[in-house]
Amino acid sequence: MKQLKERIEDHIVNISDFTATPGKGTTRLTYSPEDLQTRNYIKEKMKEYGLKVREDGFGNIFGKLEGILKDAPSVMVGSHFDSVPNGGAFDGPAGVVAALEVAALFGKNNVTPKYPLEVVALVEEEGSRFGGGLMGSRGMVGLLSDEDFRSLTDKDGITTEEAMVKIGLDPTLVRRRDPKTMKAFLELHIEQGPILEEKKIPIGVVEAIVGLTQLEVTVEGQAGHAGTTPMDRRADALVTAAKIVSQLPGLADEEGERTVVTVGRFNVFPNGANVIPDKVVFSVDIRSGKEANVLNVIEKTKSLISSFNENGIKTCVEELLYIQPKELNQGIRSLLKEKSEELQIPYCSINSGAGHDAMVFSDYTDVGMLFIPSKNGLSHCPEEWSDSKDIAKAVQIFYETAKNLTEAE
Ligand SMILES: [Zn+2]
């Protein structure tokens, strides 16, 4: 039997061949011919590893290792296998491959779990074909109704069900999964950022998936001639906005705990070189793994902004989006750290700045998540790369954790 790292490398290479854009990264849209090739590969490996294979009415794939207990909830391990257009070979598949190898270790070591172990490969996490994203996981837990699922179409007007049928999937299969059938969900994902690589640490134990707030700030002043209006007679919306923006990073620093603030969109009106700006509209994106941090920074941002309401300046803040941070299960986080220590694998705590299927499941079952380093922090591009050695480390940690959660003897 090949070494774990080599086996992982083989899987990644094999799966990366299933792309619609050879030589230009991985393009694997949901229910495409490349989806079918990947699906067949995953199902074949599941069977090879002694798992009972099943698909649901979304085309999510499940490979189950039965436990001693009948009809008991499963400890699920997995991730998604779709990609963005011209993406990388690791975003998604790294987690599916890790899950397959966790199951393989159960078989290889003749471990019989008390609770079933299930390898899960999810569709349409990226939303690249039907939009929205997280479709496989959201559908499974009932956050996407049958009606809404059926009405989704791709850019050519092809519906989800038509696309499924085209690659031989059965859309009449059961879609919803009772949360009572899930005992836990473990997901390995590439970090898609620079932190682990910089720290030279192979494993990040995800503490929380960050919440997201988007504010839209409007600063209004008075337009005027750039040449004839004296400096002390101006209500310059841009100068005020610039003062506000320059103070925002300080609010995040003050809050600490990896709280981040970003102004990424900035529009000046009327945007003429010789006109004093009378209006500026900009975005403020606030993220943190802890809701209290997010709420504090929102409060401080609002009061900072309103403090500029004088001398002809009028400000207004609108909250466009608020998504709560999701703290992952405390018990599983501890277990992942404990197993890393036992295996002498260095790890650190990390927050996920992006949404994942794990985030969806965290409202329905106990969820744990590991990150591995991304080379140069790159993702969603052909250069995306992670070391199979690191995936192998995650497999070992998940194997020990899964033995514990399935109460294997
Ligand atoms: Zn992903």
Side-chain angles (χ1 to χ4, degrees):
M1 201 182 197
K2 276 194 179 179
Q3 290 302 305
L4 182 56
K5 178 190 170 262
E6 277 73 47
R7 290 155 55 86
I8 289 167
E9 223 153 50
D10 287 351
H11 289 313
I12 295 283
V13 169
N14 290 337
I15 291 175
S16 73
D17 272 347
F18 307 136
T19 172
T21 53
K24 290 182 183 127
T26 301
T27 302
R28 187 181 306 118
L29 299 187
T30 301
Y31 313 144
S32 66
E34 297 74 37
D35 170 314
L36 180 61
Q37 289 173 310
T38 310
R39 171 181 301 284
N40 288 339
Y41 180 87
I42 294 169
K43 284 158 67 177
E44 199 179 293
K45 291 295 160 190
M46 284 175 167
K47 284 178 199 152
E48 200 181 307
Y49 296 167
L51 308 178
K52 203 168 82 198
V53 180
R54 172 179 81 83
E55 284 163 318
D56 67 9
F58 295 108
N60 292 319
I61 314 166
F62 305 88
K64 191 172 183 180
L65 177 67
E66 280 296 351
I68 294 164
L69 296 175
K70 284 287 146 253
D71 302 317
S74 296
V75 173
M76 308 187 298
V77 191
S79 193
H80 63 97
F81 65 100
D82 63 318
S83 83
V84 296
N86 306 100
F90 295 84
D91 178 358
V96 175
V97 165
L100 282 170
E101 287 307 314
V102 169
L105 284 175
F106 269 77
K108 185 182 160 211
N109 298 327
N110 264 319
V111 175
T112 310
K114 202 159 145 193
Y115 289 85
L117 177 80
E118 251 183 279
V119 175
V120 183
L122 298 159
V123 298
E124 191 69 355
E125 189 270 346
E126 303 286 3
S128 295
R129 182 161 185 187
F130 297 103
L134 303 163
M135 188 180 88
S137 52
R138 289 179 61 237
M140 248 174 86
V141 296
L143 290 177
L144 181 70
S145 70
D146 273 6
E147 209 183 344
D148 288 341
F149 173 68
R150 273 191 220 107
S151 66
L152 291 172
T153 55
D154 69 6
K155 64 174 176 33
D156 300 318
I158 298 169
T159 68
T160 43
E161 294 195 327
E162 284 163 356
M164 283 182 81
V165 170
K166 211 163 164 205
I167 62 161
L169 293 173
D170 183 356
T172 66
L173 291 172
V174 66
R175 295 211 174 98
R176 181 92 180 261
R177 180 162 176 162
D178 190 335
K180 285 197 206 90
T181 66
M182 309 183 218
K183 188 167 186 286
F185 179 73
L186 302 175
E187 182 171 12
L188 163 76
H189 204 279
I190 57 169
E191 183 202 333
Q192 305 178 282
I195 296 171
L196 293 173
E197 185 182 53
E198 254 160 44
K199 289 187 170 175
K200 296 193 171 61
I201 295 179
I203 293 291
V205 176
V206 179
E207 302 284 330
I209 296 175
V210 300
L212 165 62
T213 301
Q214 227 182 76
L215 306 178
E216 186 174 81
V217 181
T218 307
V219 179
E220 283 179 295
Q222 175 60 53
H225 192 288
T228 59
T229 318
M231 292 310 285
D232 62 354
R233 300 284 300 278
R234 296 183 180 203
D236 187 325
L238 177 52
V239 170
T240 305
K243 284 181 188 162
I244 295 169
V245 172
S246 71
Q247 291 183 49
L248 292 177
L251 298 184
D253 287 341
E254 202 179 289
E255 195 64 30
E257 301 188 281
R258 285 165 287 184
T259 307
V260 290
V261 175
T262 308
V263 175
R265 196 177 58 229
F266 199 91
N267 292 310
V268 180
F269 301 94
N271 209 19
N274 57 358
V275 189
I276 298 167
D278 68 344
K279 189 164 112 172
V280 172
V281 181
F282 62 93
S283 61
V284 181
D285 176 304
I286 303 167
R287 302 186 193 210
S288 172
K290 282 199 185 145
E291 187 159 33
N293 296 141
V294 177
L295 295 175
N296 284 341
V297 176
I298 293 176
E299 240 5 87
K300 286 179 184 170
T301 301
K302 283 182 176 167
S303 74
L304 168 72
I305 290 167
S306 67
S307 75
F308 284 91
N309 276 328
E310 52 182 12
N311 304 325
I313 294 288
K314 231 175 72 199
T315 65
C316 156
V317 180
E318 211 184 326
E319 202 168 294
L320 297 185
L321 189 67
Y322 182 81
I323 299 171
Q324 252 182 334
K326 291 268 163 70
E327 208 178 312
L328 299 186
N329 184 268
Q330 170 81 57
I332 296 189
R333 270 151 52 200
S334 304
L335 198 56
L336 291 169
K337 292 174 188 173
E338 189 186 306
K339 297 302 174 193
S340 305
E341 271 158 34
E342 283 172 16
L343 292 160
Q344 295 182 304
I345 298 170
Y347 69 90
C348 66
S349 292
I350 194 164
N351 280 338
S352 170
H356 293 290
D357 294 308
M359 169 182 78
V360 175
F361 288 128
S362 70
D363 282 335
Y364 300 87
T365 189
D366 294 347
V367 167
M369 195 169 189
L370 292 181
F371 276 174
I372 50 164
S374 292
K375 190 179 178 193
N376 297 324
L378 293 173
S379 181
H380 284 189
C381 57
E383 294 80 19
E384 179 183 281
W385 188 83
S386 289
D387 198 327
S388 294
K389 259 195 317 220
D390 296 336
I391 302 179
K393 290 185 177 112
V395 168
Q396 288 176 282
I397 298 167
F398 271 174
Y399 171 61
E400 294 300 329
T401 304
K403 275 201 299 189
N404 189 300
L405 293 172
T406 59
E407 297 177 25
E409 308 282 279

